[in-house]
Amino acid sequence: FLILYDKIPVGWQWYSHTTFIRYGWTALMVNHFAASSPSTSEVPGEGEPPGQPFGEPGSVLWGGEGVLDFYGMTGQDKWQNLGWLLLICAAVSLFGGALTQLIDHSSR
């Protein structure tokens, strides 16, 4: 989630699909920015009057959809990402539970 997907080397892109952080982060970002309108500044910046959008109009990060587009999350579904997150958590829990039952430490 810290490195944009298209900036990850091709040989390592598979790994981003195995980490739970990707799905949680995507669900949060889509939930927050999918229906948002361009932000307006409360405190004017250099030369910007109050109430003007952050950045320049038409810039990539001007509105919510621009943020999602920048991170490559356009068209993502928050519920699908939450489903993947729950699946990964269940798989890790089952794997950990199975290992604790199969590994015998009593012979130490």
Side-chain angles (χ1 to χ4, degrees):
F1 71 99
L2 293 177
I3 302 174
L4 299 177
Y5 185 75
D6 57 346
K7 302 290 184 191
I8 299 173
V10 176
W12 283 102
Q13 287 181 351
W14 65 271
Y15 184 72
S16 72
H17 296 285
T18 64
T19 179
F20 67 93
I21 295 172
R22 170 192 172 132
Y23 299 106
W25 173 254
T26 301
L28 285 171
M29 293 287 286
V30 169
N31 185 54
H32 186 75
F33 289 110
S36 68
S37 60
S39 301
T40 57
S41 61
E42 304 257 339
V43 178
E46 294 180 18
E48 287 184 353
Q52 292 298 311
F54 285 119
E56 298 178 23
S59 67
V60 174
L61 296 177
W62 196 57
E65 288 297 325
V67 173
L68 294 178
D69 187 43
F70 177 78
Y71 285 108
M73 298 176 185
T74 305
Q76 293 280 329
D77 181 36
K78 66 180 172 185
W79 298 111
Q80 181 181 11
N81 281 285
L82 283 175
W84 282 111
L85 180 63
L86 290 175
L87 181 68
I88 289 172
C89 288
V92 168
S93 297
L94 288 173
F95 184 69
L99 283 180
T100 57
Q101 294 298 316
L102 296 174
I103 297 175
D104 183 22
H105 292 288
S106 63
S107 63
R108 288 185 181 190

